[in-house]
Amino acid sequence: SKYTPLRKEFYGDIKINPVNKELSKIMITFGGSDVRNLTPMILELLNSNFPNIKKDVIIGAGFNNIEKIKDCSTANTNLIINATAKDMITSMQTSDIAIAAGGQTLYELAKIGIPTIGILLVENAKEDTFGWAKTGFLRFAGTYDDKFLKENIIKEIEDFTIQENRLKSQANALKYISKNGGKLLAEQIMKVLNDTF
């Protein structure tokens, strides 16, 4: 994770997520296409169990379930369609926790320091997801087809209502992500090349 090259918007002195006393907003992000159609289910789950919590829902260009997501939306739902890196950062910085799939977004969430509940959607995200879970940054709720997925999500959200647990998650994220992984990677490659030749 130390050498992970992120999008340029995530480099520099970027503002870390403030860990508020109360949990009042959740970011939901499942990549560019929501391949398992989880967003509507997550929204319905949150509306039933945490109706007063605000939700930022990131909708990628490949989503084919937007109408269903709109049907599940309430006054506390903010749909962010075709989110830019800047949109993602703003949502991360103003949300208290995130519910996310694996992949590149986990590293970006770690860089902003937003406590995250992870759901495994595809096999090639397994190492990232389990790796971040081992650090203590990410709470793994299960695979997309886990029969206890909903119960696990509710449990992890309830646990994250405790500010101290979010502070620990953030500290673990920031411990394992560097300020500029791409630069570190390039410097290390150049060092090896210089030592070799």
Side-chain angles (χ1 to χ4, degrees), residues 71-99:
D71 289 342
C72 300
S73 298
T74 67
N76 282 330
T77 309
N78 177 34
L79 305 183
I80 304 172
I81 299 172
N82 296 333
T84 63
K86 189 176 178 183
D87 295 331
M88 293 288 283
I89 289 168
T90 299
S91 181
M92 290 176 190
Q93 290 170 334
T94 58
S95 297
D96 296 294
I97 64 171
I99 299 174

Side-chain angles (χ1 to χ4, degrees), residues 2 6 17 26-27 31 34 43 51 58 65 84 97 102 156 162 165 170-171 175 192 195:
K2 182 180 175 184
L6 302 177
N17 173 274
I26 298 175
M27 176 190 195
D34 191 10
L43 263 181
I58 309 300
N65 56 355
T84 63
I97 64 171
E156 298 299 355
I162 301 167
N165 292 338
Q170 182 179 86
K175 192 190 305 182
V192 171
D195 291 347

Side-chain angles (χ1 to χ4, degrees), residues 46-62:
L46 296 182
N47 290 339
S48 297
N49 293 276
F50 308 96
N52 296 321
I53 290 180
K54 294 178 181 175
K55 302 105 185 160
D56 269 3
V57 181
I58 309 300
I59 297 176

Side-chain angles (χ1 to χ4, degrees), residues 33-46:
S33 59
D34 191 10
V35 292
R36 304 298 182 185
N37 192 33
L38 282 184
T39 304
M41 181 274 283
I42 297 292
L43 263 181
E44 288 178 344
L45 184 71
L46 296 182

